[in-house]
Structures are given as structure tokens and as C-alpha cells.
């Protein structure tokens, strides 16, 4: 079980969401929780890099590169991605 009693989603399930045509909001929320490692409601560059490395990525996982990825979808410019920004990212990446 994850934080708050929610069922945990594994990295494989989260990665599979990026390969599907369109994820449901519930699936997107589960994926977001995988990236939001500290449970604060945001994904920062450190969390993004950690998950990408766990998924086997080696390129583009340095802190500065992860921050650039977040900045591309960070609409309110707070340096991290909230759930709505994450949804926008998923919608754009599946198009």
C-alpha cells in the first residue's frame, strides 16, 4: 500500500501508461503518485530523475536535464509539476 492507504503502482505499470493510447484520470493519478516520490503533490527534478533511472533510462536523467523537462510543462513556473501539469504532459506526449 502507498501513502494514505492507496494501492501502489509499480514502475512497469507507470511506464506502460506512456505506451497506451489514452490513460484514464485514475491511471494518470496512479502514475503521478509513482513520480511524486515524497507525496507532496508535486514532481520535482530529483523525483523525475529517480523514476527515470528506475525505469532503466540512462540518457537525460541528470538534474539539469530533468529540470528542463519539467520547465517545458510547468505552467505556473514554480519549478515543479503539479497533477494538472502532469495531465497536460501526458496528453501532449500521447498525441
Amino acid at each position: 500500500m502507498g501513502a494514505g492507504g492507496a494501492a501502489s503502482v509499480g514502475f512497469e505499470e507507470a511506464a506502460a501508461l506512456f505506451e497506451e493510447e489514452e490513460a484514464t484520470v485514475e491511471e494518470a493519478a496512479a502514475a503521478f503518485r509513482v513520480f511524486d516520490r515524497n507525496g507532496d503533490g508535486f514532481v520535482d527534478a530529483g523525483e523525475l530523475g529517480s523514476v527515470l533511472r528506475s525505469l532503466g533510462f540512462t540518457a537525460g536523467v541528470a538534474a539539469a536535464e530533468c529540470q528542463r523537462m519539467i520547465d517545458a510543462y510547468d505552467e505556473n513556473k514554480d519549478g515543479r509539476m503539479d497533477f494538472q501539469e502532469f495531465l497536460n504532459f501526458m496528453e501532449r506526449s500521447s498525441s
Side-chain angles (χ1 to χ4, degrees):
M1 293 296 237
S8 294
V9 173
F11 293 122
E12 292 80 18
E13 291 90 350
L17 290 174
F18 293 100
E19 297 170 4
E20 293 179 8
E21 285 296 315
E22 190 170 320
T24 67
V25 174
E26 292 81 17
E27 291 170 329
F32 183 79
R33 287 190 298 272
V34 170
F35 283 86
D36 180 17
R37 307 217 13 146
N38 67 4
D40 68 353
F42 300 95
V43 176
D44 63 30
E47 291 169 318
L48 178 59
S50 176
V51 172
L52 291 176
R53 282 187 294 278
S54 295
L55 291 171
F57 290 94
T58 56
V61 297
E65 293 165 317
C66 289
Q67 190 61 55
R68 280 193 293 277
M69 285 185 257
I70 287 175
D71 289 346
Y73 296 95
D74 181 18
E75 295 172 8
N76 63 3
K77 305 300 180 206
D78 65 354
R80 53 198 184 161
M81 211 181 323
D82 62 28
F83 182 63
Q84 185 58 53
E85 293 164 338
F86 186 79
L87 285 176
N88 294 341
F89 158 71
M90 289 189 68
E91 287 175 5
R92 292 180 198 156
S93 65
S94 67
S95 318

